[in-house]
Amino acid sequence: MFDGGFGLLFGGVWMLLMWGIPLLLVIALLKYLFFRPHDKGGPDIRPERKTPLDILKESYARGDLSRDEYLQKRDDLLEK
């Protein structure tokens, strides 16, 4: 008496699982590939551009420039 009802119920559940799970996986994959958040530092985030003054400060910090060279170039960049 209940055999036909349970068969239809579980048949529908299995059909949903067989179609639903792969469909959800495809949607999740597409969302991951095309809609990544930009705050995680992924490859699609461009690095911040450095100004010439930033580069000059880094050179001075590394010891590539003397203090006088740094001050002269800084003044040149700031047009003093």
mmCIF file of all heavy atoms in Angstrom, residues 22-70:
data_model
loop_
_atom_site.group_PDB
_atom_site.id
_atom_site.type_symbol
_atom_site.label_atom_id
_atom_site.label_comp_id
_atom_site.label_asym_id
_atom_site.label_seq_id
_atom_site.Cartn_x
_atom_site.Cartn_y
_atom_site.Cartn_z
ATOM 1 N N PRO A 22 25.385 18.598 -8.607
ATOM 2 C CA PRO A 22 26.299 19.062 -9.657
ATOM 3 C C PRO A 22 26.004 20.497 -10.094
ATOM 4 O O PRO A 22 26.930 21.276 -10.355
ATOM 5 C CB PRO A 22 26.067 18.077 -10.814
ATOM 6 C CG PRO A 22 25.525 16.856 -10.168
ATOM 7 C CD PRO A 22 24.732 17.338 -9.001
ATOM 8 N N LEU A 23 24.729 20.862 -10.136
ATOM 9 C CA LEU A 23 24.374 22.232 -10.513
ATOM 10 C C LEU A 23 24.904 23.227 -9.479
ATOM 11 O O LEU A 23 25.469 24.267 -9.841
ATOM 12 C CB LEU A 23 22.857 22.358 -10.655
ATOM 13 C CG LEU A 23 22.338 23.701 -11.137
ATOM 14 C CD1 LEU A 23 22.861 24.028 -12.524
ATOM 15 C CD2 LEU A 23 20.825 23.720 -11.124
ATOM 16 N N LEU A 24 24.768 22.918 -8.204
ATOM 17 C CA LEU A 24 25.302 23.789 -7.160
ATOM 18 C C LEU A 24 26.823 23.881 -7.216
ATOM 19 O O LEU A 24 27.401 24.939 -6.980
ATOM 20 C CB LEU A 24 24.848 23.297 -5.785
ATOM 21 C CG LEU A 24 23.367 23.504 -5.458
ATOM 22 C CD1 LEU A 24 23.034 22.861 -4.125
ATOM 23 C CD2 LEU A 24 23.013 24.976 -5.453
ATOM 24 N N LEU A 25 27.478 22.777 -7.529
ATOM 25 C CA LEU A 25 28.934 22.798 -7.663
ATOM 26 C C LEU A 25 29.387 23.685 -8.815
ATOM 27 O O LEU A 25 30.353 24.433 -8.697
ATOM 28 C CB LEU A 25 29.468 21.378 -7.835
ATOM 29 C CG LEU A 25 29.411 20.486 -6.595
ATOM 30 C CD1 LEU A 25 29.833 19.063 -6.947
ATOM 31 C CD2 LEU A 25 30.288 21.042 -5.498
ATOM 32 N N VAL A 26 28.686 23.602 -9.936
ATOM 33 C CA VAL A 26 29.022 24.447 -11.089
ATOM 34 C C VAL A 26 28.803 25.920 -10.744
ATOM 35 O O VAL A 26 29.643 26.774 -11.045
ATOM 36 C CB VAL A 26 28.201 24.028 -12.330
ATOM 37 C CG1 VAL A 26 28.315 25.059 -13.439
ATOM 38 C CG2 VAL A 26 28.646 22.661 -12.821
ATOM 39 N N ILE A 27 27.707 26.233 -10.078
ATOM 40 C CA ILE A 27 27.426 27.622 -9.688
ATOM 41 C C ILE A 27 28.490 28.121 -8.715
ATOM 42 O O ILE A 27 28.988 29.245 -8.836
ATOM 43 C CB ILE A 27 26.010 27.736 -9.082
ATOM 44 C CG1 ILE A 27 24.965 27.529 -10.178
ATOM 45 C CG2 ILE A 27 25.808 29.081 -8.403
ATOM 46 C CD1 ILE A 27 23.544 27.400 -9.667
ATOM 47 N N ALA A 28 28.866 27.303 -7.739
ATOM 48 C CA ALA A 28 29.892 27.695 -6.781
ATOM 49 C C ALA A 28 31.236 27.923 -7.466
ATOM 50 O O ALA A 28 31.957 28.876 -7.152
ATOM 51 C CB ALA A 28 30.026 26.638 -5.687
ATOM 52 N N LEU A 29 31.572 27.076 -8.426
ATOM 53 C CA LEU A 29 32.823 27.236 -9.163
ATOM 54 C C LEU A 29 32.825 28.527 -9.968
ATOM 55 O O LEU A 29 33.805 29.276 -9.965
ATOM 56 C CB LEU A 29 33.056 26.034 -10.078
ATOM 57 C CG LEU A 29 34.318 26.088 -10.934
ATOM 58 C CD1 LEU A 29 35.556 26.026 -10.045
ATOM 59 C CD2 LEU A 29 34.323 24.951 -11.931
ATOM 60 N N LEU A 30 31.731 28.807 -10.659
ATOM 61 C CA LEU A 30 31.638 30.041 -11.436
ATOM 62 C C LEU A 30 31.712 31.274 -10.538
ATOM 63 O O LEU A 30 32.376 32.254 -10.867
ATOM 64 C CB LEU A 30 30.352 30.061 -12.257
ATOM 65 C CG LEU A 30 30.289 29.056 -13.407
ATOM 66 C CD1 LEU A 30 28.910 29.074 -14.044
ATOM 67 C CD2 LEU A 30 31.360 29.364 -14.442
ATOM 68 N N LYS A 31 31.052 31.207 -9.402
ATOM 69 C CA LYS A 31 31.094 32.325 -8.462
ATOM 70 C C LYS A 31 32.514 32.528 -7.949
ATOM 71 O O LYS A 31 32.986 33.655 -7.840
ATOM 72 C CB LYS A 31 30.140 32.070 -7.298
ATOM 73 C CG LYS A 31 30.076 33.216 -6.336
ATOM 74 C CD LYS A 31 29.084 32.965 -5.235
ATOM 75 C CE LYS A 31 29.118 34.119 -4.246
ATOM 76 N NZ LYS A 31 28.314 33.896 -3.090
ATOM 77 N N TYR A 32 33.217 31.459 -7.644
ATOM 78 C CA TYR A 32 34.590 31.556 -7.163
ATOM 79 C C TYR A 32 35.502 32.149 -8.234
ATOM 80 O O TYR A 32 36.354 32.980 -7.942
ATOM 81 C CB TYR A 32 35.098 30.175 -6.744
ATOM 82 C CG TYR A 32 36.564 30.165 -6.400
ATOM 83 C CD1 TYR A 32 37.009 30.694 -5.191
ATOM 84 C CD2 TYR A 32 37.500 29.647 -7.275
ATOM 85 C CE1 TYR A 32 38.357 30.696 -4.871
ATOM 86 C CE2 TYR A 32 38.846 29.647 -6.966
ATOM 87 C CZ TYR A 32 39.269 30.179 -5.765
ATOM 88 O OH TYR A 32 40.607 30.183 -5.465
ATOM 89 N N LEU A 33 35.334 31.723 -9.473
ATOM 90 C CA LEU A 33 36.220 32.177 -10.537
ATOM 91 C C LEU A 33 35.979 33.625 -10.948
ATOM 92 O O LEU A 33 36.918 34.351 -11.256
ATOM 93 C CB LEU A 33 36.084 31.274 -11.761
ATOM 94 C CG LEU A 33 36.617 29.854 -11.611
ATOM 95 C CD1 LEU A 33 36.288 29.041 -12.849
ATOM 96 C CD2 LEU A 33 38.110 29.868 -11.361
ATOM 97 N N PHE A 34 34.724 34.065 -10.965
ATOM 98 C CA PHE A 34 34.414 35.371 -11.537
ATOM 99 C C PHE A 34 34.034 36.448 -10.525
ATOM 100 O O PHE A 34 34.051 37.619 -10.849
ATOM 101 C CB PHE A 34 33.292 35.234 -12.561
ATOM 102 C CG PHE A 34 33.699 34.425 -13.760
ATOM 103 C CD1 PHE A 34 33.181 33.155 -13.944
ATOM 104 C CD2 PHE A 34 34.614 34.903 -14.663
ATOM 105 C CE1 PHE A 34 33.553 32.387 -15.038
ATOM 106 C CE2 PHE A 34 35.002 34.151 -15.754
ATOM 107 C CZ PHE A 34 34.469 32.893 -15.940
ATOM 108 N N PHE A 35 33.704 36.077 -9.325
ATOM 109 C CA PHE A 35 33.237 37.069 -8.355
ATOM 110 C C PHE A 35 34.038 36.997 -7.062
ATOM 111 O O PHE A 35 33.484 36.992 -5.982
ATOM 112 C CB PHE A 35 31.745 36.871 -8.054
ATOM 113 C CG PHE A 35 30.890 37.022 -9.261
ATOM 114 C CD1 PHE A 35 30.302 35.918 -9.852
ATOM 115 C CD2 PHE A 35 30.664 38.263 -9.815
ATOM 116 C CE1 PHE A 35 29.513 36.046 -10.976
ATOM 117 C CE2 PHE A 35 29.880 38.403 -10.934
ATOM 118 C CZ PHE A 35 29.302 37.296 -11.522
ATOM 119 N N ARG A 36 35.355 36.948 -7.188
ATOM 120 C CA ARG A 36 36.202 36.911 -6.001
ATOM 121 C C ARG A 36 36.198 38.263 -5.317
ATOM 122 O O ARG A 36 36.244 39.288 -5.980
ATOM 123 C CB ARG A 36 37.635 36.592 -6.397
ATOM 124 C CG ARG A 36 37.853 35.142 -6.614
ATOM 125 C CD ARG A 36 39.308 34.891 -6.791
ATOM 126 N NE ARG A 36 39.460 34.195 -8.045
ATOM 127 C CZ ARG A 36 40.589 34.017 -8.672
ATOM 128 N NH1 ARG A 36 41.679 34.498 -8.203
ATOM 129 N NH2 ARG A 36 40.628 33.350 -9.788
ATOM 130 N N PRO A 37 36.204 38.281 -3.995
ATOM 131 C CA PRO A 37 36.306 39.564 -3.305
ATOM 132 C C PRO A 37 37.683 40.178 -3.535
ATOM 133 O O PRO A 37 38.680 39.468 -3.604
ATOM 134 C CB PRO A 37 36.104 39.211 -1.834
ATOM 135 C CG PRO A 37 36.110 37.747 -1.736
ATOM 136 C CD PRO A 37 35.994 37.165 -3.103
ATOM 137 N N HIS A 38 37.723 41.485 -3.670
ATOM 138 C CA HIS A 38 38.980 42.157 -3.993
ATOM 139 C C HIS A 38 39.828 42.470 -2.777
ATOM 140 O O HIS A 38 40.919 42.964 -2.911
ATOM 141 C CB HIS A 38 38.682 43.458 -4.743
ATOM 142 C CG HIS A 38 38.091 43.208 -6.086
ATOM 143 N ND1 HIS A 38 38.817 42.687 -7.121
ATOM 144 C CD2 HIS A 38 36.843 43.372 -6.560
ATOM 145 C CE1 HIS A 38 38.048 42.557 -8.186
ATOM 146 N NE2 HIS A 38 36.842 42.960 -7.864
ATOM 147 N N ASP A 39 39.347 42.211 -1.576
ATOM 148 C CA ASP A 39 40.119 42.555 -0.399
ATOM 149 C C ASP A 39 41.024 41.434 0.085
ATOM 150 O O ASP A 39 41.694 41.573 1.081
ATOM 151 C CB ASP A 39 39.187 42.979 0.737
ATOM 152 C CG ASP A 39 38.213 41.884 1.123
ATOM 153 O OD1 ASP A 39 38.065 40.917 0.372
ATOM 154 O OD2 ASP A 39 37.598 42.007 2.178
ATOM 155 N N LYS A 40 41.083 40.337 -0.598
ATOM 156 C CA LYS A 40 41.901 39.213 -0.148
ATOM 157 C C LYS A 40 43.294 39.222 -0.749
ATOM 158 O O LYS A 40 44.081 38.351 -0.468
ATOM 159 C CB LYS A 40 41.216 37.891 -0.482
ATOM 160 C CG LYS A 40 39.967 37.675 0.336
ATOM 161 C CD LYS A 40 39.532 36.265 0.265
ATOM 162 C CE LYS A 40 38.333 36.077 1.169
ATOM 163 N NZ LYS A 40 38.049 34.722 1.432
ATOM 164 N N GLY A 41 43.601 40.156 -1.606
ATOM 165 C CA GLY A 41 44.937 40.193 -2.176
ATOM 166 C C GLY A 41 45.178 39.150 -3.226
ATOM 167 O O GLY A 41 46.285 38.691 -3.385
ATOM 168 N N GLY A 42 44.162 38.797 -3.951
ATOM 169 C CA GLY A 42 44.289 37.828 -5.018
ATOM 170 C C GLY A 42 45.072 38.388 -6.177
ATOM 171 O O GLY A 42 45.499 39.528 -6.171
ATOM 172 N N PRO A 43 45.292 37.578 -7.203
ATOM 173 C CA PRO A 43 46.090 38.044 -8.329
ATOM 174 C C PRO A 43 45.454 39.170 -9.125
ATOM 175 O O PRO A 43 46.136 39.856 -9.863
ATOM 176 C CB PRO A 43 46.240 36.801 -9.199
ATOM 177 C CG PRO A 43 45.130 35.916 -8.780
ATOM 178 C CD PRO A 43 44.842 36.231 -7.340
ATOM 179 N N ASP A 44 44.145 39.385 -8.988
ATOM 180 C CA ASP A 44 43.516 40.435 -9.775
ATOM 181 C C ASP A 44 43.595 41.796 -9.097
ATOM 182 O O ASP A 44 43.124 42.764 -9.643
ATOM 183 C CB ASP A 44 42.061 40.082 -10.075
ATOM 184 C CG ASP A 44 41.278 39.757 -8.829
ATOM 185 O OD1 ASP A 44 41.877 39.431 -7.817
ATOM 186 O OD2 ASP A 44 40.052 39.816 -8.883
ATOM 187 N N ILE A 45 44.216 41.895 -7.931
ATOM 188 C CA ILE A 45 44.396 43.178 -7.262
ATOM 189 C C ILE A 45 45.741 43.758 -7.680
ATOM 190 O O ILE A 45 46.783 43.124 -7.554
ATOM 191 C CB ILE A 45 44.326 43.016 -5.730
ATOM 192 C CG1 ILE A 45 42.912 42.611 -5.348
ATOM 193 C CG2 ILE A 45 44.729 44.296 -5.039
ATOM 194 C CD1 ILE A 45 42.731 42.425 -3.873
ATOM 195 N N ARG A 46 45.697 44.963 -8.175
ATOM 196 C CA ARG A 46 46.924 45.613 -8.619
ATOM 197 C C ARG A 46 47.641 46.226 -7.418
ATOM 198 O O ARG A 46 47.013 46.805 -6.550
ATOM 199 C CB ARG A 46 46.589 46.702 -9.629
ATOM 200 C CG ARG A 46 46.021 46.125 -10.894
ATOM 201 C CD ARG A 46 45.759 47.205 -11.935
ATOM 202 N NE ARG A 46 45.148 46.610 -13.095
ATOM 203 C CZ ARG A 46 43.857 46.660 -13.359
ATOM 204 N NH1 ARG A 46 43.041 47.301 -12.568
ATOM 205 N NH2 ARG A 46 43.370 46.083 -14.430
ATOM 206 N N PRO A 47 48.960 46.139 -7.410
ATOM 207 C CA PRO A 47 49.692 46.743 -6.301
ATOM 208 C C PRO A 47 49.592 48.263 -6.342
ATOM 209 O O PRO A 47 49.392 48.859 -7.398
ATOM 210 C CB PRO A 47 51.133 46.277 -6.505
ATOM 211 C CG PRO A 47 51.217 45.880 -7.927
ATOM 212 C CD PRO A 47 49.837 45.462 -8.347
ATOM 213 N N GLU A 48 49.738 48.854 -5.180
ATOM 214 C CA GLU A 48 49.666 50.299 -5.070
ATOM 215 C C GLU A 48 50.835 50.927 -5.825
ATOM 216 O O GLU A 48 51.965 50.473 -5.724
ATOM 217 C CB GLU A 48 49.765 50.652 -3.585
ATOM 218 C CG GLU A 48 49.153 51.947 -3.208
ATOM 219 C CD GLU A 48 49.196 52.123 -1.709
ATOM 220 O OE1 GLU A 48 48.405 51.462 -1.026
ATOM 221 O OE2 GLU A 48 50.039 52.902 -1.249
ATOM 222 N N ARG A 49 50.574 51.987 -6.575
ATOM 223 C CA ARG A 49 51.639 52.654 -7.323
ATOM 224 C C ARG A 49 52.432 53.536 -6.382
ATOM 225 O O ARG A 49 51.885 54.273 -5.582
ATOM 226 C CB ARG A 49 51.048 53.491 -8.443
ATOM 227 C CG ARG A 49 50.434 52.612 -9.538
ATOM 228 C CD ARG A 49 50.159 53.395 -10.748
ATOM 229 N NE ARG A 49 51.436 53.754 -11.367
ATOM 230 C CZ ARG A 49 51.539 54.521 -12.420
ATOM 231 N NH1 ARG A 49 50.487 55.032 -12.981
ATOM 232 N NH2 ARG A 49 52.712 54.801 -12.921
ATOM 233 N N LYS A 50 53.736 53.469 -6.506
ATOM 234 C CA LYS A 50 54.611 54.272 -5.660
ATOM 235 C C LYS A 50 54.915 55.591 -6.362
ATOM 236 O O LYS A 50 55.108 55.641 -7.578
ATOM 237 C CB LYS A 50 55.915 53.527 -5.395
ATOM 238 C CG LYS A 50 55.727 52.286 -4.567
ATOM 239 C CD LYS A 50 57.045 51.612 -4.325
ATOM 240 C CE LYS A 50 56.833 50.332 -3.549
ATOM 241 N NZ LYS A 50 58.067 49.609 -3.356
ATOM 242 N N THR A 51 54.986 56.628 -5.574
ATOM 243 C CA THR A 51 55.349 57.931 -6.117
ATOM 244 C C THR A 51 56.871 58.002 -6.205
ATOM 245 O O THR A 51 57.583 57.235 -5.539
ATOM 246 C CB THR A 51 54.832 59.058 -5.207
ATOM 247 O OG1 THR A 51 55.494 58.967 -3.942
ATOM 248 C CG2 THR A 51 53.323 58.969 -5.020
ATOM 249 N N PRO A 52 57.390 58.929 -7.001
ATOM 250 C CA PRO A 52 58.849 59.090 -7.055
ATOM 251 C C PRO A 52 59.456 59.393 -5.678
ATOM 252 O O PRO A 52 60.555 58.939 -5.366
ATOM 253 C CB PRO A 52 59.040 60.261 -8.018
ATOM 254 C CG PRO A 52 57.833 60.202 -8.901
ATOM 255 C CD PRO A 52 56.721 59.748 -8.007
ATOM 256 N N LEU A 53 58.721 60.117 -4.851
ATOM 257 C CA LEU A 53 59.222 60.420 -3.517
ATOM 258 C C LEU A 53 59.312 59.151 -2.661
ATOM 259 O O LEU A 53 60.266 58.985 -1.891
ATOM 260 C CB LEU A 53 58.330 61.466 -2.846
ATOM 261 C CG LEU A 53 58.849 62.077 -1.558
ATOM 262 C CD1 LEU A 53 60.206 62.738 -1.769
ATOM 263 C CD2 LEU A 53 57.853 63.083 -1.013
ATOM 264 N N ASP A 54 58.348 58.243 -2.813
ATOM 265 C CA ASP A 54 58.400 56.963 -2.096
ATOM 266 C C ASP A 54 59.632 56.159 -2.508
ATOM 267 O O ASP A 54 60.320 55.569 -1.668
ATOM 268 C CB ASP A 54 57.148 56.134 -2.353
ATOM 269 C CG ASP A 54 55.899 56.723 -1.737
ATOM 270 O OD1 ASP A 54 56.014 57.465 -0.735
ATOM 271 O OD2 ASP A 54 54.800 56.451 -2.262
ATOM 272 N N ILE A 55 59.906 56.146 -3.799
ATOM 273 C CA ILE A 55 61.071 55.405 -4.307
ATOM 274 C C ILE A 55 62.358 56.023 -3.785
ATOM 275 O O ILE A 55 63.292 55.314 -3.391
ATOM 276 C CB ILE A 55 61.037 55.367 -5.846
ATOM 277 C CG1 ILE A 55 59.807 54.585 -6.322
ATOM 278 C CG2 ILE A 55 62.320 54.767 -6.407
ATOM 279 C CD1 ILE A 55 59.531 54.717 -7.804
ATOM 280 N N LEU A 56 62.401 57.362 -3.752
ATOM 281 C CA LEU A 56 63.571 58.059 -3.224
ATOM 282 C C LEU A 56 63.781 57.731 -1.746
ATOM 283 O O LEU A 56 64.906 57.466 -1.311
ATOM 284 C CB LEU A 56 63.400 59.568 -3.421
ATOM 285 C CG LEU A 56 64.543 60.446 -2.940
ATOM 286 C CD1 LEU A 56 65.798 60.173 -3.764
ATOM 287 C CD2 LEU A 56 64.155 61.908 -3.011
ATOM 288 N N LYS A 57 62.698 57.722 -0.978
ATOM 289 C CA LYS A 57 62.799 57.391 0.447
ATOM 290 C C LYS A 57 63.311 55.967 0.648
ATOM 291 O O LYS A 57 64.118 55.703 1.540
ATOM 292 C CB LYS A 57 61.435 57.539 1.127
ATOM 293 C CG LYS A 57 61.006 58.973 1.308
ATOM 294 C CD LYS A 57 59.620 59.031 1.929
ATOM 295 C CE LYS A 57 59.126 60.455 2.050
ATOM 296 N NZ LYS A 57 57.751 60.509 2.606
ATOM 297 N N GLU A 58 62.853 55.044 -0.188
ATOM 298 C CA GLU A 58 63.324 53.659 -0.081
ATOM 299 C C GLU A 58 64.805 53.552 -0.414
ATOM 300 O O GLU A 58 65.551 52.816 0.239
ATOM 301 C CB GLU A 58 62.500 52.757 -0.993
ATOM 302 C CG GLU A 58 61.084 52.540 -0.521
ATOM 303 C CD GLU A 58 60.248 51.740 -1.504
ATOM 304 O OE1 GLU A 58 60.783 51.292 -2.536
ATOM 305 O OE2 GLU A 58 59.047 51.561 -1.218
ATOM 306 N N SER A 59 65.247 54.294 -1.427
ATOM 307 C CA SER A 59 66.668 54.278 -1.793
ATOM 308 C C SER A 59 67.522 54.813 -0.649
ATOM 309 O O SER A 59 68.586 54.275 -0.343
ATOM 310 C CB SER A 59 66.907 55.121 -3.049
ATOM 311 O OG SER A 59 66.262 54.549 -4.151
ATOM 312 N N TYR A 60 67.043 55.880 -0.022
ATOM 313 C CA TYR A 60 67.770 56.450 1.114
ATOM 314 C C TYR A 60 67.785 55.475 2.292
ATOM 315 O O TYR A 60 68.809 55.303 2.954
ATOM 316 C CB TYR A 60 67.139 57.783 1.511
ATOM 317 C CG TYR A 60 67.828 58.472 2.668
ATOM 318 C CD1 TYR A 60 69.161 58.846 2.583
ATOM 319 C CD2 TYR A 60 67.142 58.742 3.841
ATOM 320 C CE1 TYR A 60 69.799 59.473 3.635
ATOM 321 C CE2 TYR A 60 67.769 59.369 4.912
ATOM 322 C CZ TYR A 60 69.103 59.732 4.806
ATOM 323 O OH TYR A 60 69.724 60.346 5.856
ATOM 324 N N ALA A 61 66.676 54.814 2.525
ATOM 325 C CA ALA A 61 66.599 53.854 3.629
ATOM 326 C C ALA A 61 67.529 52.663 3.398
ATOM 327 O O ALA A 61 68.087 52.108 4.348
ATOM 328 C CB ALA A 61 65.165 53.377 3.808
ATOM 329 N N ARG A 62 67.699 52.251 2.143
ATOM 330 C CA ARG A 62 68.602 51.144 1.830
ATOM 331 C C ARG A 62 70.071 51.561 1.931
ATOM 332 O O ARG A 62 70.956 50.724 1.953
ATOM 333 C CB ARG A 62 68.339 50.632 0.411
ATOM 334 C CG ARG A 62 67.167 49.713 0.272
ATOM 335 C CD ARG A 62 67.175 49.011 -1.080
ATOM 336 N NE ARG A 62 67.309 49.918 -2.202
ATOM 337 C CZ ARG A 62 66.297 50.430 -2.904
ATOM 338 N NH1 ARG A 62 65.059 50.117 -2.598
ATOM 339 N NH2 ARG A 62 66.520 51.236 -3.915
ATOM 340 N N GLY A 63 70.319 52.869 1.938
ATOM 341 C CA GLY A 63 71.696 53.349 1.996
ATOM 342 C C GLY A 63 72.295 53.598 0.629
ATOM 343 O O GLY A 63 73.514 53.765 0.500
ATOM 344 N N ASP A 64 71.470 53.619 -0.417
ATOM 345 C CA ASP A 64 71.965 53.863 -1.767
ATOM 346 C C ASP A 64 72.349 55.329 -1.974
ATOM 347 O O ASP A 64 73.125 55.637 -2.874
ATOM 348 C CB ASP A 64 70.906 53.486 -2.807
ATOM 349 C CG ASP A 64 70.579 51.997 -2.787
ATOM 350 O OD1 ASP A 64 71.398 51.223 -2.266
ATOM 351 O OD2 ASP A 64 69.508 51.615 -3.301
ATOM 352 N N LEU A 65 71.797 56.225 -1.154
ATOM 353 C CA LEU A 65 72.041 57.662 -1.288
ATOM 354 C C LEU A 65 72.580 58.218 0.021
ATOM 355 O O LEU A 65 72.216 57.760 1.100
ATOM 356 C CB LEU A 65 70.738 58.407 -1.618
ATOM 357 C CG LEU A 65 69.977 58.012 -2.882
ATOM 358 C CD1 LEU A 65 68.631 58.706 -2.919
ATOM 359 C CD2 LEU A 65 70.786 58.366 -4.104
ATOM 360 N N SER A 66 73.419 59.226 -0.110
ATOM 361 C CA SER A 66 73.843 59.936 1.096
ATOM 362 C C SER A 66 72.735 60.907 1.496
ATOM 363 O O SER A 66 71.788 61.152 0.741
ATOM 364 C CB SER A 66 75.147 60.688 0.832
ATOM 365 O OG SER A 66 74.904 61.765 -0.059
ATOM 366 N N ARG A 67 72.868 61.495 2.689
ATOM 367 C CA ARG A 67 71.860 62.437 3.167
ATOM 368 C C ARG A 67 71.773 63.653 2.247
ATOM 369 O O ARG A 67 70.675 64.110 1.921
ATOM 370 C CB ARG A 67 72.182 62.862 4.596
ATOM 371 C CG ARG A 67 71.211 63.878 5.158
ATOM 372 C CD ARG A 67 71.467 64.143 6.629
ATOM 373 N NE ARG A 67 70.792 65.298 7.129
ATOM 374 C CZ ARG A 67 69.488 65.389 7.380
ATOM 375 N NH1 ARG A 67 68.725 64.338 7.165
ATOM 376 N NH2 ARG A 67 68.970 66.498 7.843
ATOM 377 N N ASP A 68 72.929 64.152 1.831
ATOM 378 C CA ASP A 68 72.924 65.335 0.947
ATOM 379 C C ASP A 68 72.259 65.029 -0.392
ATOM 380 O O ASP A 68 71.483 65.840 -0.903
ATOM 381 C CB ASP A 68 74.356 65.828 0.725
ATOM 382 C CG ASP A 68 74.966 66.410 1.995
ATOM 383 O OD1 ASP A 68 74.192 66.909 2.843
ATOM 384 O OD2 ASP A 68 76.204 66.342 2.133
ATOM 385 N N GLU A 69 72.558 63.854 -0.961
ATOM 386 C CA GLU A 69 71.919 63.459 -2.230
ATOM 387 C C GLU A 69 70.416 63.325 -2.048
ATOM 388 O O GLU A 69 69.642 63.772 -2.894
ATOM 389 C CB GLU A 69 72.490 62.126 -2.723
ATOM 390 C CG GLU A 69 73.906 62.196 -3.220
ATOM 391 C CD GLU A 69 74.454 60.822 -3.555
ATOM 392 O OE1 GLU A 69 74.219 59.873 -2.782
ATOM 393 O OE2 GLU A 69 75.120 60.713 -4.606
ATOM 394 N N TYR A 70 70.019 62.715 -0.941
ATOM 395 C CA TYR A 70 68.586 62.545 -0.677
ATOM 396 C C TYR A 70 67.882 63.898 -0.571
ATOM 397 O O TYR A 70 66.845 64.119 -1.187
ATOM 398 C CB TYR A 70 68.378 61.733 0.605
ATOM 399 C CG TYR A 70 66.950 61.764 1.094
ATOM 400 C CD1 TYR A 70 65.960 61.047 0.439
ATOM 401 C CD2 TYR A 70 66.580 62.546 2.189
ATOM 402 C CE1 TYR A 70 64.634 61.087 0.868
ATOM 403 C CE2 TYR A 70 65.266 62.598 2.616
ATOM 404 C CZ TYR A 70 64.300 61.869 1.955
ATOM 405 O OH TYR A 70 62.996 61.928 2.373
#
